[in-house]
Amino acid sequence: MPISYSQPYELVCPTCQTPFVAEAWLIVDAEERPDLVQAIRDVTLHDTRCPSCGQTGVVPAPILLHDRRARAVLFGVPYEMPEAEWNELAQGLLWMLIGALPREDQLPYLGNVQAEAGVAGVAEALDQLNYTPQSAAEAIGDALGSDDSDELPPLAEAIMRMLAAETPEELQAVLHEYPFLLDEAMDEGLAGLAEAAVDAGEFEISQAFERARISLTQLRQTLDQSSQSRANPKPTATVVQASAPPPANWNTIRRAVLACEDASELAALRAEYPILASADADAWLAEDQQALRDVGDLGGAQLIGEARAVLRGER
């Protein structure tokens, strides 16, 4: 299932007034499309050319870049777009990204979207993402004063393994071995270390501490929400289970659902794809909704819930 996503834009050449259509990438997964990552670095991702007169220009499109290895999501805001509008746009693209990722890759860091000014801003931010869990741990180990290059201090080792965890099971094992990572004091301590590193001019080390702090804060919030849900259970609801696997074009249909902005668009989409009125389609969307809850995106989960209600004819 592809993760990266593009869509056509209808444009009019400002020079010769010729209308034409240009394809623009809105979601780029770094591992899946390194060629598109290079186009971002070159600030050419959204470049276009009039087929009539050859005039060059830029498609006014957003870009959401996902880098799993760096545990980062960058959003390039189209120039002069109002904040309320780009916030909603970024949220919609994030839902699409999460929905396209395998369940094991739907981790808490996805909720930490870093906004930048256009493709150029994302390209500049990419230069700061030359980061792996190992390099972060090495930077933290250096900052914490390890004298043995083959042995990291316990805190650095714990952070390294936490950042390197690629499945919920691996993450749970790390937290079981190093329960102190979830202490609230860790947030203040890592923030202080990051600030001290900045004061010393060690910006790479500061970034490593800050990444660890953000990741741990997100983990703590997710676990707190899960604990509250268990402590205050809601009335039992009927769980809808799909009796059949999704059709081959389900990913396209799901993305179309997430791109809808109101009930009328959802109704039109349901007319175009009658399968959306089925119990199975509702169950498949319910799985996406649960995936968003699992990564702490309660707003996204709520919006999918509202879309399900519209598609079932309840609104």
Side-chain angles (χ1 to χ4, degrees):
M1 177 187 299
I3 301 172
S4 302
Y5 169 74
S6 67
Q7 74 176 35
Y9 274 73
E10 295 183 355
L11 305 173
V12 176
C13 176
T15 300
C16 67
Q17 303 304 307
T18 298
F20 66 100
V21 176
E23 195 79 9
W25 288 96
L26 305 188
I27 298 175
V28 171
D29 181 80
E31 288 186 335
E32 180 184 69
R33 295 298 303 267
D35 58 321
L36 297 180
V37 174
Q38 187 58 51
I40 291 174
R41 291 186 180 278
D42 296 337
V43 197
T44 60
L45 181 71
H46 288 159
D47 286 3
T48 188
R49 179 185 296 272
C50 173
S52 179
C53 70
Q55 174 69 40
T56 59
V58 177
V59 181
I63 178 62
L64 189 78
L65 172 68
H66 172 234
D67 190 327
R68 185 182 67 86
R69 293 181 65 84
R71 298 292 196 271
V73 181
L74 304 175
F75 179 68
V77 181
Y79 293 108
E80 299 183 357
M81 177 175 284
E83 182 175 357
E85 187 175 339
W86 68 253
N87 269 327
E88 183 177 356
L89 185 58
Q91 187 70 61
L93 291 175
L94 183 61
W95 302 336
M96 295 175 68
L97 169 65
I98 293 173
L101 290 172
R103 179 63 63 89
E104 62 270 17
D105 287 343
Q106 296 173 356
L107 298 174
Y109 75 88
L110 293 168
N112 183 36
V113 180
Q114 179 179 331
E116 302 290 344
V119 175
V122 173
E124 184 175 349
L126 269 174
D127 291 337
Q128 307 301 318
L129 291 184
N130 296 323
Y131 156 90
T132 64
Q134 182 64 41
S135 66
E138 290 173 355
I140 290 173
D142 291 341
L144 294 177
S146 174
D147 294 327
D148 186 346
S149 59
D150 295 326
E151 181 178 355
L152 292 169
L155 176 59
E157 177 70 21
I159 292 174
M160 178 194 74
R161 291 184 54 190
M162 182 270 295
L163 293 174
E166 296 190 353
T167 67
E169 291 75 19
E170 290 180 5
L171 183 59
Q172 190 62 39
V174 173
L175 296 177
H176 179 76
E177 185 173 352
Y178 301 101
F180 63 82
L181 286 172
L182 292 176
D183 291 347
E184 291 189 5
M186 283 292 297
D187 185 78
E188 183 176 351
L190 288 171
L193 289 169
E195 184 176 351
V198 169
D199 292 341
E202 299 288 350
F203 299 108
E204 181 181 355
I205 293 175
S206 175
Q207 184 182 49
F209 279 127
E210 185 62 19
R211 285 183 180 280
R213 187 191 69 79
I214 291 172
S215 296
L216 288 171
T217 298
Q218 292 171 343
L219 279 172
R220 194 180 305 113
Q221 291 172 346
T222 300
L223 292 174
D224 286 347
Q225 290 165 356
S226 298
S227 298
Q228 291 172 6
S229 296
R230 289 193 295 269
N232 301 290
K234 295 182 179 179
T236 303
T238 302
V239 177
V240 179
Q241 294 184 343
S243 59
N249 66 339
W250 175 247
N251 191 44
T252 299
I253 297 173
R254 175 176 55 185
R255 282 177 163 169
V257 169
L258 294 172
C260 289
E261 296 183 354
D262 53 38
S264 62
E265 290 187 7
L266 282 166
L269 191 65
R270 185 177 55 194
E272 182 179 356
Y273 298 104
I275 194 173
L276 284 172
S278 70
D280 282 337
D282 184 61
W284 299 326
L285 287 172
E287 292 177 359
D288 292 336
Q289 186 178 4
Q290 184 59 50
L292 289 175
R293 290 196 189 101
D294 291 344
V295 298
D297 187 357
L298 301 183
Q302 179 181 349
L303 286 174
I304 285 190
E306 293 174 356
R308 291 175 59 205
V310 172
L311 292 170
R312 290 195 301 261
E314 298 175 5
R315 296 186 184 179

